[in-house]
């Protein structure tokens, strides 16, 4: 199984699109110099998923999330590849 940090932007976007029923919604995609950022909501709370060219994908919570919830989100995304 692929690791979360090794995912490409297209893989993350596709998984998010398939996770609407589970409460993960893509609101906006932003490109900054060092990364692409997917601004999302998970069950109403804000998270950013950053895909950095050097470091790979990571989940960056905006609202409060436990480490268990972050792991759940990354596992959901991986399961929908």
């Amino acid at each position: 199984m692929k690791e979360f940090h090794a995912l490409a932007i297209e893989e993350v976007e596709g998984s998010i699109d398939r996770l609407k029923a589970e409460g993960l919604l893509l609101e906006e995609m932003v490109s900054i110099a060092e990364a692409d950022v997917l601004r999302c909501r998970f069950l109403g709370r804000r998270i950013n998923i950053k895909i950095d060219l050097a470091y790979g994908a990571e989940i960056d919570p905006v609202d409060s999330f436990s480490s268990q919830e972050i792991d759940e989100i990354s596992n959901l995304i991986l399961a929908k590849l």
Side-chain angles (χ1 to χ4, degrees), residues 38-81:
L38 304 173
R39 294 181 179 172
C40 303
R41 286 196 182 265
F42 181 66
L43 301 176
R45 293 180 289 162
R46 296 174 298 156
I47 61 168
N48 292 332
I49 301 173
K50 294 180 182 175
I51 297 90
D52 186 284
L53 293 175
Y55 300 107
E58 70 174 321
I59 296 176
D60 183 25
V62 177
D63 293 332
S64 181
F65 283 87
S66 70
S67 58
Q68 182 180 357
E69 289 173 311
I70 297 298
D71 289 343
E72 177 187 343
I73 295 166
S74 64
N75 288 335
L76 281 170
I77 291 170
L78 286 167
K80 294 295 182 173
L81 287 178

Side-chain angles (χ1 to χ4, degrees), residues 8-59:
I9 185 79
E10 297 82 13
E11 293 172 311
V12 176
E13 283 182 289
S15 288
I16 291 171
D17 190 49
R18 292 184 283 278
L19 286 166
K20 290 178 184 172
E22 284 86 352
L24 184 59
L25 303 171
L26 175 62
E27 293 188 327
E28 180 180 21
M29 186 172 118
V30 179
S31 292
I32 55 177
E34 65 276 0
D36 289 319
V37 180
L38 304 173
R39 294 181 179 172
C40 303
R41 286 196 182 265
F42 181 66
L43 301 176
R45 293 180 289 162
R46 296 174 298 156
I47 61 168
N48 292 332
I49 301 173
K50 294 180 182 175
I51 297 90
D52 186 284
L53 293 175
Y55 300 107
E58 70 174 321
I59 296 176

